Amino acid sequence: MEQAAVNALRTLLQSHGHVVEEISGQNDYGEDLFVTFADAGRVTNDVIKVQVKGGASWRRSYGYAVPVRQHGETWTNGNVPVFCVVFDPDTGRLHWANATEHLRRGASRSSRLRTIRVLATDVLDDDSMASFVHRARAYVGGYRGRNAVLAHLGEMAGVTFEPADHVLHWVNEHGEQLIFWQRRGQSHAVLLHSDLDWDPVLITPGGLLIPGGAPLGLEFGSDFPEEMRRLAPIAMVNGTILNMPEALWLASCFSTTEWMRRDAEVGSGSVIDLDAET
């Protein structure tokens, strides 16, 4: 049944001019096909991987479900996005879902999905092929673009970012570049600043001092005496002097990535090695 599903999908895609390469089924890598999209008879640079399932056992009330199992990390943070396609032998129809998109959205809500929901309404056939290709290629472009941006920022700052890291970039009024870096499960974030020769500075809520009290209703600067928090003329993070826009930007970045620090255990957890060469 699985091979019948693979054959049905391959036949459909190739009939529309797309390039399909089957991955050896001897090992359960979580992907069955590489698909390279074509446009007007020419091969593009847009590639996806597909996990294909076939049979009635995948049916659910909403459509179909594909188990994630041990593939969560590669489907979420691999170099190529992964789609799931289910073949229903009773209807002869193919149904699809963007597994990478589902998993990344789940991660942003601190939810680790065990299955990918494939809706019965998301049919893949001759009539819907153009829409599917448009949506898949648009997602590939954004996914590839994000990875390219991470690589560029990492090369600029001399560090290596992981695909799952939350990285934000900003340029201040003096043309200096700042990078905010949060890794999931860590209780701190990191500031990389071009004016500081990209030397990393740890960001903790207690170590971020903002004159005049904490903005946005957040408790920053708790490591400093209250009088200093109210009357300090300058902003700083763990002893590094900032200007006010920089401090407010860091506070905003830190507050919006709170969900990534929920897994951090007090006094434990992995820590970015600031002394290691990357």
Side-chain angles (χ1 to χ4, degrees), residues 184-188 260-269:
R184 188 184 180 106
Q186 293 187 336
S187 59
H188 64 275
M260 297 191 71
R261 295 185 291 276
R262 290 175 189 162
D263 295 337
E265 296 180 0
V266 178
S268 63

Side-chain angles (χ1 to χ4, degrees), residues 34-258:
F34 277 106
V35 178
T36 304
F37 294 113
D39 185 10
R42 294 186 178 183
V43 175
T44 70
N45 293 323
D46 297 331
V47 180
I48 64 171
K49 292 189 285 188
V50 184
Q51 165 83 100
V52 186
K53 295 293 185 183
S57 62
W58 310 110
R59 289 182 195 149
R60 301 294 185 271
S61 59
Y62 50 81
Y64 308 87
V66 177
V68 176
R69 294 176 182 155
Q70 73 272 25
H71 309 305
E73 178 60 27
T74 55
W75 287 7
T76 305
N77 297 312
N79 292 326
V80 178
V82 178
F83 286 62
C84 290
V85 174
V86 178
F87 175 70
D88 191 323
D90 292 336
T91 64
R93 287 184 170 182
L94 296 161
H95 304 263
W96 70 278
N98 185 336
T100 297
E101 183 178 35
H102 284 214
L103 290 166
R104 292 184 68 85
R105 284 182 177 176
S108 69
R109 299 189 296 267
S110 298
S111 175
R112 297 182 181 180
L113 303 183
R114 295 184 178 181
T115 60
I116 303 300
R117 288 191 169 204
V118 182
L119 301 181
T121 53
D122 287 331
V123 178
L124 181 56
D125 56 16
D126 289 322
D127 294 334
S128 62
M129 177 60 67
S131 175
F132 166 75
V133 172
H134 175 76
R135 291 172 62 182
R137 291 187 63 191
Y139 187 81
V140 169
Y143 191 81
R144 183 172 57 224
R146 178 184 182 275
N147 288 343
V149 168
L150 286 183
H152 171 70
L153 293 177
E155 291 169 357
M156 181 171 63
V159 301
T160 300
F161 299 119
E162 299 294 332
D165 292 348
H166 199 89
V167 179
L168 298 170
H169 175 242
W170 182 59
V171 180
N172 66 17
E173 67 270 30
H174 305 296
E176 300 162 350
Q177 303 195 59
L178 289 74
I179 296 174
F180 174 89
W181 178 14
Q182 177 70 61
R183 184 160 286 172
R184 188 184 180 106
Q186 293 187 336
S187 59
H188 64 275
V190 172
L191 168 66
L192 302 167
H193 198 309
S194 63
D195 194 46
L196 301 175
D197 296 324
W198 300 114
D199 289 337
V201 179
L202 286 183
I203 306 171
T204 60
L208 179 56
L209 178 62
I210 301 174
L216 308 176
L218 300 173
E219 290 299 327
F220 290 112
S222 58
D223 291 347
F224 299 89
E226 182 178 355
E227 189 69 14
M228 183 177 182
R229 278 185 279 166
R230 288 191 294 106
L231 302 177
I234 57 175
M236 64 178 66
V237 57
N238 285 342
T240 299
I241 296 176
L242 306 169
N243 62 31
M244 196 61 166
E246 290 175 338
L248 292 174
W249 179 74
L250 287 180
S252 177
C253 293
F254 201 83
S255 64
T256 58
T257 54
E258 186 275 333

